[in-house]
Amino acid sequence: ALINYIQITQAEWSSSDQYSASAGANVRKSNNDAGAFKRLPFNYCALSLQPFEQPVCTASGTIFDYERILRWLKDKGTNPVDGTPLKTGDLIKLTFAKNEDGEYVDPVTYKVFTDNTHITAIRHNDSANVFAFDTVQRLNIKAKNWRDLVSDEEFTRKDLITLQDPQNIASRNLSSFSHLKNGNGNQQQEAAATQGINTDAMGSSAKILRAKEAVARSRAERDAAKNPQNKTSSSQSQALTSSNKTDGTPSSIKKTPYNAARHTTGQAAASFTSTGLTPHTSGERALLTDEEYMLVPRRIKHNGYCLLHTTHGSLNIELYTHYAPKAVWNFLRLAQQGYYNSIPFHRNIRNFMIQGGDPTGTGRGGQSIWAKNFVDEVDNPLKFDTRGILAMANKGKNTNGSQFFVTYRAAQHLTRKHTIFGRVLLDDEGGRSRTTLKALEEVKTGEGDRPEEECGIKEVVVLIDPFEEFLKEREDRERTERRREEVRRLGGDEDERTTWTGKRLRGDGRDGGREGGGGVGKYLQEALKEKEGRNGEEVVEDVVGEWEEPEPPRKKTKGGGGFGNFDSW
């Protein structure tokens, strides 16, 4: 027969799986532990709560930094996580594998370790090699191959040490660490445990953190009262304990770098869609290299200049960095490498243009400085409206390489189809460029508009590199800003400590007089000195700021009646 109970049993009341509004003491206890949960990353020392440099572990899989745990064992002799006795001989040296980026990886599959990776170590006496558990399970346990995949040493199942298990995150819960709960660790570790936590958003769990901070402050004050010599260290610990309160304030916001891109690094999205990446929640902006930063149109205002030596003379060329930075960068870098030296002009059409820049001389070769085609830069006001325009040759949209051409006349039909990145200075000294361009136009050509006589580029000499000038100016500005910041930090120099009224302030903040010296009675004092020099009368030492007393206003006399003499009118 079925029996209906009106009341629940004591086991149901106190079980840990009850989540109703009314629950037993065991439920509240477990919920409090869960509310204060904070995971320790796999590559952090469980004692210092900082990334380890020389990792060692215990037989239970707790990882420490070797230097930190040695100092702890010398004083305490216990495991700082669970409080059990621990000796130096119980520590096992861990060997992690890293990739080129310095990330910890599995030495066989090279899969990057994350906080969600099941990590296992294979012990060999006092050392152990670290693997992903999936690798050990597939290549050792299932294959019954009981040899280390790195050192080829034999091992047994008992030699497997679990360093991190995603299904058992309680083992890496900071709230359960003995040295943090009992306050046996130093205040820096406790401050690091709560660093970066927004207590305002934690609800009731914030009370636990605030209580820990209060305990740490009181303990530091008590130690300072006992040991006056350690007063400085206790004040530093109090500052560390309250440091997380200042996080997120406007003063702690990082300044955006000058070369920050408009897009983010993409790490948050990548880690969200892939379990093989370390989770990232920040949307920090990507940083551009100097080349990427300078190749943004209209960023660099300086024009470049170079000298194009040909077989028929020299051409003085001005480069438009402001409108076509990629084309100018490509042309200058190829010229500096000697790419254009001894290259013929393979196409010359009278009253139209002359083309070159192909090392093969066929008109079908050549590549850019990036070894690939780059995009057109035609979103600018430049036009083929005169003689001597320098532009990129291409075989279609966004197919620029190393070839270029110079026009002999206006060619409006080429506007916005070819990237204009310079012009020949026809009015240079002596008209040298004008003469050279005319001589090139008069060269006889044959089949395919190829010059019949020697006609080509001897050398391209860079006179002014606008990109180097831009970097120099930026370095000068940064140097000046650093100097000013240093001056402000030291209290400022004489010029910067002058108020808008002309008053100078000394280093201690006292009034140092006004600019130019003198003061209010400056001219009066000079006049008195001149008078002294003339008649040798007595010296007036200091009359700065002295003024003659004004006469008191005359009182009106009361008349005895009548108009009198009209003085009061």
Side-chain angles (χ1 to χ4, degrees):
L2 296 177
I3 302 176
N4 293 328
Y5 290 98
I6 298 178
Q7 293 87 10
I8 63 175
T9 63
Q10 191 274 341
E12 293 173 334
W13 172 266
S14 61
S15 63
S16 61
D17 57 353
Q18 293 293 323
Y19 297 98
S20 60
S22 58
N26 292 340
V27 182
R28 296 188 179 92
K29 180 179 179 181
S30 61
N31 288 342
N32 289 339
D33 293 340
F37 174 79
K38 184 173 177 61
R39 175 191 285 190
L40 178 71
F42 78 93
N43 59 335
Y44 275 53
C45 170
L47 175 59
S48 64
L49 308 182
Q50 298 295 324
F52 53 67
E53 296 180 357
Q54 299 177 354
V56 295
C57 75
T58 62
S60 59
T62 306
I63 303 179
F64 301 101
D65 186 79
Y66 185 65
E67 294 183 359
R68 304 295 183 102
I69 192 63
L70 277 185
R71 289 196 292 266
W72 174 274
L73 294 178
K74 183 180 293 187
D75 297 335
K76 308 292 184 179
T78 59
N79 189 327
V81 173
D82 55 16
T84 58
L86 183 65
K87 300 179 181 179
T88 307
D90 299 333
L91 300 177
I92 304 168
K93 181 182 178 181
L94 297 177
T95 302
F96 280 85
K98 290 185 176 181
N99 58 12
E100 296 179 352
D101 298 330
E103 299 173 317
Y104 293 110
V105 297
D106 181 90
V108 178
T109 63
Y110 288 95
K111 183 178 180 181
V112 179
F113 288 157
T114 67
D115 291 337
N116 298 316
T117 306
H118 193 166
I119 304 175
T120 303
I122 300 179
R123 180 178 182 179
H124 305 288
N125 297 326
D126 59 347
S127 63
N129 295 323
V130 182
F131 300 87
F133 180 74
D134 293 342
T135 303
V136 176
Q137 188 178 32
R138 286 188 293 107
L139 301 180
N140 291 113
I141 298 177
K142 289 185 177 180
K144 297 182 179 180
N145 175 27
W146 299 101
R147 285 187 172 274
D148 193 305
L149 299 174
V150 173
S151 62
D152 200 35
E153 298 181 56
E154 292 186 357
F155 69 93
T156 62
R157 189 181 289 271
K158 295 181 179 179
D159 296 325
L160 297 178
I161 302 175
T162 300
L163 302 180
Q164 177 177 262
D165 185 2
Q167 305 299 326
N168 183 23
I169 58 177
S171 61
R172 306 194 67 80
N173 184 9
L174 292 175
S175 301
S176 63
F177 286 4
S178 176
H179 69 292
L180 294 181
K181 290 196 301 183
N182 301 332
N184 292 330
N186 55 46
Q187 282 76 18
Q188 295 181 3
Q189 297 167 359
E190 295 184 12
T194 59
Q195 185 73 17
I197 300 177
N198 185 5
T199 56
D200 295 334
M202 293 187 61
S204 60
S205 301
K207 298 179 181 179
I208 301 176
L209 298 180
R210 295 192 185 99
K212 288 184 177 181
E213 293 176 4
V215 171
R217 286 194 297 269
S218 62
R219 184 183 297 115
E221 293 173 358
R222 186 170 59 253
D223 294 342
K226 293 181 180 178
N227 301 319
Q229 297 179 353
N230 298 333
K231 195 170 184 178
T232 303
S233 61
S234 64
S235 61
Q236 294 176 354
S237 63
Q238 291 180 16
L240 287 170
T241 306
S242 59
S243 62
N244 61 331
K245 294 182 180 180
T246 60
D247 291 346
T249 58
S251 60
S252 63
I253 297 177
K254 293 183 179 179
K255 184 179 180 181
T256 303
Y258 73 92
N259 58 341
R262 295 185 178 181
H263 57 274
T264 65
T265 58
Q267 293 181 346
S271 62
F272 179 75
T273 57
S274 175
T275 58
L277 298 176
T278 303
H280 290 271
T281 58
S282 63
E284 59 184 87
R285 295 163 65 178
L287 298 181
L288 301 177
T289 62
D290 285 341
E291 177 180 341
E292 294 172 339
Y293 180 75
M294 291 188 296
L295 295 188
V296 176
R298 293 177 171 82
R299 174 157 287 163
I300 298 181
K301 311 299 181 182
H302 304 283
N303 286 341
Y305 295 90
C306 65
L307 204 59
L308 183 65
H309 295 289
T310 70
T311 54
H312 292 70
S314 300
L315 296 174
N316 199 354
I317 295 177
E318 180 183 20
L319 302 172
Y320 299 139
T321 319
H322 185 61
Y323 296 115
K326 291 186 178 66
V328 174
W329 176 279
N330 176 69
F331 183 79
L332 291 179
R333 294 299 172 262
L334 291 178
Q336 290 170 346
Q337 294 179 3
Y339 188 86
Y340 292 124
N341 295 352
S342 303
I343 290 181
F345 287 112
H346 60 271
R347 191 182 182 196
N348 188 12
I349 304 176
R350 183 187 296 269
N351 199 30
F352 181 38
M353 62 88 187
I354 184 170
Q355 183 175 339
D358 179 11
T360 65
T362 62
R364 295 186 294 271
Q367 63 180 6
S368 69
I369 191 65
W370 302 286
K372 61 180 181 180
N373 296 333
F374 62 94
V375 298
D376 296 330
E377 296 171 293
V378 295
D379 188 14
N380 53 60
L382 302 178
K383 298 179 181 180
F384 288 89
D385 55 357
T386 186
R387 178 182 175 90
I389 296 297
L390 177 65
M392 295 298 300
N394 58 40
K395 51 188 176 183
K397 186 178 180 180
N398 299 330
T399 57
N400 301 292
S402 64
Q403 295 188 35
F404 60 90
F405 64 92
V406 180
T407 62
Y408 292 138
R409 66 173 178 85
Q412 293 288 1
H413 64 284
L414 300 180
T415 300
R416 302 187 70 85
K417 293 182 180 179
H418 293 266
T419 300
I420 300 175
F421 67 96
R423 69 182 179 96
V424 178
L425 298 176
L426 300 177
D427 298 329
D428 60 352
E429 184 178 357
R432 179 177 54 183
S433 298
R434 185 184 298 274
T435 303
T436 301
L437 193 61
K438 184 177 181 180
L440 291 173
E441 186 178 8
E442 293 176 351
V443 173
K444 295 182 179 181
T445 59
E447 184 180 357
D449 299 318
R450 297 183 64 86
E452 292 182 347
E453 59 183 84
E454 183 182 3
C455 179
I457 304 172
K458 290 184 176 180
E459 184 185 9
V460 179
V461 179
V462 179
L463 302 178
I464 297 179
D465 189 338
F467 303 101
E468 292 182 359
E469 295 295 324
F470 177 81
L471 292 177
K472 289 179 181 178
E473 288 185 0
R474 194 186 70 191
E475 291 177 0
D476 292 341
R477 287 196 302 269
E478 292 177 352
R479 189 182 303 109
T480 303
E481 184 62 28
R482 287 194 298 267
R483 183 186 62 81
R484 290 178 178 175
E485 186 64 28
E486 183 67 17
V487 169
R488 285 193 293 267
R489 189 180 65 84
L490 297 176
D493 54 19
E494 183 176 353
D495 294 335
E496 293 186 352
R497 292 186 63 80
T498 302
T499 65
W500 66 273
T501 60
K503 182 184 294 184
R504 292 195 306 270
L505 300 178
R506 296 191 180 95
D508 55 0
R510 293 184 300 164
D511 185 2
R514 296 182 180 273
E515 289 290 340
V520 176
K522 169 183 175 182
Y523 301 104
L524 181 59
Q525 186 176 12
E526 291 178 356
L528 290 173
K529 289 182 179 179
E530 292 179 1
K531 184 176 180 181
E532 173 195 354
R534 288 196 304 266
N535 50 24
E537 295 179 355
E538 59 179 0
V539 180
V540 181
E541 294 183 353
D542 189 8
V543 293
V544 176
E546 293 186 1
W547 302 88
E548 294 183 358
E549 291 293 333
E551 296 182 358
R554 298 174 59 184
K555 295 182 180 181
K556 296 180 180 180
T557 58
K558 297 181 180 180
F563 292 97
N565 58 0
F566 299 95
D567 287 340
S568 60
W569 282 48

